Amino acid sequence: MKPSSRSFLAPARALHTGGSAALGLMSWMLVSSSCRAPAESRDLVSSSPARITHVGLGDSNASGDPGDPDRAALDSAPAPCFGSASSSATCSVEAPAAGADEPQQSTRRGLPPPFASPPYPSGEYQGYPLIGIPPSDTTYPLTRFLYERSFGDWLQEKRIKAYGWLNTSANISTSEDSNMPSSYWLVADSVQLNQAILRVEREVDTAQTEHVDWGFRSTFLYGTDYRYMTSGGWFSDQLLVDNELYGFDTTEQYVDVYFPGVSQGLDLRIGRWIACPDIETQFAPDNYLATHSLLFTVDTYTQTGVMATMMLDQQWTVQAGLHAGTDMAPWYEGAVATGMAGVRWVALDNKDSIYLVLNAINDAEFQRFTVDGQPAGHDNFNYIVGTWQHAFSPEVHTKTESYLMWQKDTVVGGTPSIGPAEDFGGGGGIGADIPGTTLTYGILNYTMFQTSPSDFLTIRNEVIEDQDGARYGFAGTYSSHTIGWTHNFSPLLQIRPEIGYYRNWDREAFDLGTDEGMLLAGFDLTLRF
């Protein structure tokens, strides 16, 4: 959802208390951590501009689930396998042996991780969910605390974990008020609490082939990033009616049931999940950079429905699903029965992967309705998205994503927020009509270079075309170019400075329609617990 915005009032430069406090705490932790163990020893817009209310997105980590911090674990990552055209007999990796009081770890059936993790947030190619990968054995401090309680043995036996993180950022920008339509660092020249996450989960074991298994994930988020996850019907009035800067979201709420006897394994997911297969549709710790691309800013973040994922062999996985439309719950007024289908392929030499998904297919008509007597509506775009990934080595890899998006009889800026227009963007009501079919399409590349066991460099480049301003509020050709560095002080603490330049080459589209481009620099800190 992306709220509209037409406010050209005083700049929103004040530092917000929540973000400042979080940054102070995490800075202290950063200093403390840097004095302890070295990284190598870790265990672990209206008729006016920029109405963007929601920023949708998509990617996966080593567990196959986007935003899974367990797979960013800095302990016991298996060695990548390259150059072999043989089957898993040559390249299979076994999980480490379990301790006397721990459940036995299943044996990995998929090809080995192609990247080095750490320092990368994941060692896996895009895939969501991945079948044939054992549950993670990483435990963060909150999980370990619970395991030490009287009920801890039961939790550990059932593989139930609770953990989370705090993510805060600071930025400086050439924009006066809003950094829209870039995503995540919303308020120009400010400190913000982007994400406070609490997650409870039981990872389904799709590596074993002996019995039906089940799992679940429940993820709760508070922070400025809620607007990029907002889905109509899931506490969405915070954004779509009120245009609040900070909000709460129940981003992931699903159950998995795994059937080992169907081909090489079938996972049935029911609930609300993060859409696939984008590079960036993940939570903060599982992305390569703190900010996200313009491409990501306007696609789907979550879907609610049923999705089946079936592994055919080590190379091929297929998917099919039925959901309520892009970022909408089935009970939401704008909900539309929507199909999805995908296919994932990995080369036997483990150097390349392609993941292609028709993420939404229906009549592609913008959904119109009223809220509190005001005209409102919701995006119902259809799109196909694909990602090609190549590993040059365990230390260097690249990911290229492209999509084609179409929608009929939509409005400028897409999904509106009928809330008040704010300096930071969003609000102001529904935009002008765009008759007929409008297209948005683009291409994005991420290339990563590991520089040490704790560090890597990321370069991001993209070009995207919004024909009629349906997605960003301003038509034209956009590009962005960003470079960033990631340093892991420990398995629990990470910093990511970056600098990027964003541009609309046809008109003023940045800082609420007052500038054609924007230079943005800053950093974020993530503390896991």
Side-chain angles (χ1 to χ4, degrees), residues 205-432:
D205 187 352
T206 64
Q208 58 81 26
T209 59
E210 298 175 354
H211 60 83
V212 173
D213 197 26
W214 64 277
F216 71 91
R217 174 176 284 183
S218 186
T219 304
F220 304 91
L221 173 146
Y222 177 80
T224 58
D225 287 356
Y226 89 99
R227 69 177 48 230
Y228 305 110
M229 289 81 170
T230 294
S231 179
W234 290 96
F235 304 97
S236 54
D237 282 3
Q238 300 169 93
L239 176 62
L240 302 185
V241 175
D242 301 323
N243 192 27
E244 300 284 354
L245 177 59
Y246 281 84
F248 165 80
D249 189 59
T250 54
T251 310
E252 294 175 298
Q253 305 294 327
Y254 62 75
V255 173
D256 283 315
V257 183
Y258 165 67
F259 302 92
V262 182
S263 191
Q264 293 298 305
L266 172 71
D267 178 85
L268 186 65
R269 177 162 294 178
I270 304 170
R272 183 186 182 194
W273 64 83
I274 293 178
C276 41
D278 301 355
I279 299 170
E280 303 165 288
T281 306
Q282 303 190 70
F283 291 98
D286 302 294
N287 275 290
Y288 295 107
L289 292 171
T291 63
H292 288 235
S293 67
L294 298 172
L295 198 81
F296 157 92
T297 301
V298 298
D299 70 355
T300 307
Y301 201 96
T302 66
Q303 296 160 336
T304 305
V306 181
M307 178 173 65
T309 302
M310 183 168 64
M311 179 180 178
L312 304 179
D313 54 33
Q314 285 192 321
Q315 292 183 269
W316 292 93
T317 299
V318 294
Q319 295 180 290
L322 182 66
H323 57 82
T326 182
D327 292 303
M328 291 185 281
W331 53 86
Y332 188 61
E333 187 167 359
V336 183
T338 304
M340 65 84 66
V343 58
R344 177 182 185 264
W345 169 83
V346 180
L348 270 178
D349 65 5
N350 218 22
K351 291 186 177 182
D352 293 275
S353 177
I354 296 174
Y355 192 16
L356 184 65
V357 178
L358 179 59
N359 227 327
I361 185 67
N362 54 37
D363 62 8
E365 287 276 352
F366 182 82
Q367 299 297 291
R368 298 173 184 267
F369 45 85
T370 61
V371 175
D372 297 335
Q374 297 187 57
H378 201 284
D379 279 317
N380 182 39
F381 52 78
N382 290 185
Y383 72 115
I384 184 169
V385 54
T387 302
W388 167 65
Q389 303 149 90
H390 176 73
F392 297 97
S393 69
E395 295 78 25
V396 181
H397 64 283
T398 187
K399 297 184 177 186
T400 301
E401 176 185 342
S402 183
Y403 67 55
L404 171 63
M405 183 182 294
W406 64 96
Q407 190 168 196
K408 302 174 185 176
D409 301 323
T410 184
V411 297
V412 172
T415 301
S417 168
I418 63 172
E422 300 286 356
D423 291 350
F424 55 77
I430 196 164

Side-chain angles (χ1 to χ4, degrees), residues 4 10 52 78 101 121 128-129 156 160 192 201 203 218 225 245 272 302 335 341 361 400-401 444 450 452 486 522-523:
S4 56
I52 300 172
D101 298 327
Y128 178 55
Q156 191 165 7
I160 296 175
Q192 304 293 338
E201 71 176 355
E203 290 182 80
S218 186
D225 287 356
L245 177 59
R272 183 186 182 194
T302 66
I361 185 67
T400 301
E401 176 185 342
L444 163 72
Q450 181 182 346
S452 82
T486 298
F523 68 94

Side-chain angles (χ1 to χ4, degrees), residues 405 434 437-441 464-472 474-478 507:
M405 183 182 294
I434 303 175
T437 300
T438 186
L439 301 178
T440 303
Y441 48 89
I464 188 166
E465 177 75 19
D466 183 356
Q467 284 188 341
D468 300 293
R471 306 310 302 129
Y472 300 105
F474 301 92
T477 300
Y478 292 79
R507 56 183 42 83

Side-chain angles (χ1 to χ4, degrees), residues 498-517:
E498 66 175 74
I499 185 169
Y501 180 67
Y502 304 75
R503 176 76 182 262
N504 182 309
W505 295 90
D506 300 297
R507 56 183 42 83
E508 294 177 337
F510 288 86
D511 199 14
L512 309 184
T514 63
D515 204 333
E516 61 187 9

Side-chain angles (χ1 to χ4, degrees), residues 83-98:
S84 173
S86 66
S87 68
S88 60
T90 300
C91 291
S92 63
V93 177
E94 293 189 2

Side-chain angles (χ1 to χ4, degrees), residues 36-239:
R36 294 197 297 268
E40 292 80 356
S41 66
R42 349 175 186 192
D43 299 323
L44 217 149
V45 173
S46 81
S47 58
S48 59
R51 76 183 53 257
I52 300 172
T53 60
H54 159 86
V55 182
L57 358 175
D59 183 25
S60 312
N61 58 14
S63 72
D65 286 355
D68 183 353
D70 284 356
R71 290 299 173 175
L74 304 179
D75 55 348
S76 65
C81 172
F82 292 91
S84 173
S86 66
S87 68
S88 60
T90 300
C91 291
S92 63
V93 177
E94 293 189 2
D101 298 327
E102 298 174 355
Q104 181 63 44
Q105 185 89 340
S106 300
T107 300
R108 181 181 177 112
R109 294 189 290 122
L111 291 169
F115 318 133
S117 178
Y120 295 123
S122 168
E124 305 286 350
Y125 289 122
Q126 306 297 116
Y128 178 55
L130 289 179
I131 296 176
I133 310 302
S136 168
D137 58 2
T138 301
T139 56
Y140 288 102
L142 179 57
T143 300
R144 291 198 293 268
F145 172 81
L146 295 174
Y147 283 177
E148 292 169 359
R149 309 280 71 81
S150 58
F151 49 83
D153 289 345
W154 181 85
L155 290 175
Q156 191 165 7
E157 179 186 357
K158 300 301 182 183
R159 303 197 309 273
I160 296 175
K161 300 178 180 180
Y163 57 92
W165 58 89
L166 298 174
N167 173 257
T168 189
S169 66
N171 79 85
I172 56 173
S173 168
T174 56
S175 293
E176 290 293 320
D177 295 318
S178 174
N179 290 330
M180 281 187 173
S182 70
S183 50
Y184 279 41
W185 292 353
L186 177 65
V187 184
D189 304 336
S190 72
V191 176
Q192 304 293 338
L193 173 63
N194 298 89
Q195 297 182 9
I197 296 284
L198 177 62
R199 174 181 289 162
V200 181
E201 71 176 355
R202 181 187 194 270
E203 290 182 80
V204 63
D205 187 352
T206 64
Q208 58 81 26
T209 59
E210 298 175 354
H211 60 83
V212 173
D213 197 26
W214 64 277
F216 71 91
R217 174 176 284 183
S218 186
T219 304
F220 304 91
L221 173 146
Y222 177 80
T224 58
D225 287 356
Y226 89 99
R227 69 177 48 230
Y228 305 110
M229 289 81 170
T230 294
S231 179
W234 290 96
F235 304 97
S236 54
D237 282 3
Q238 300 169 93
L239 176 62

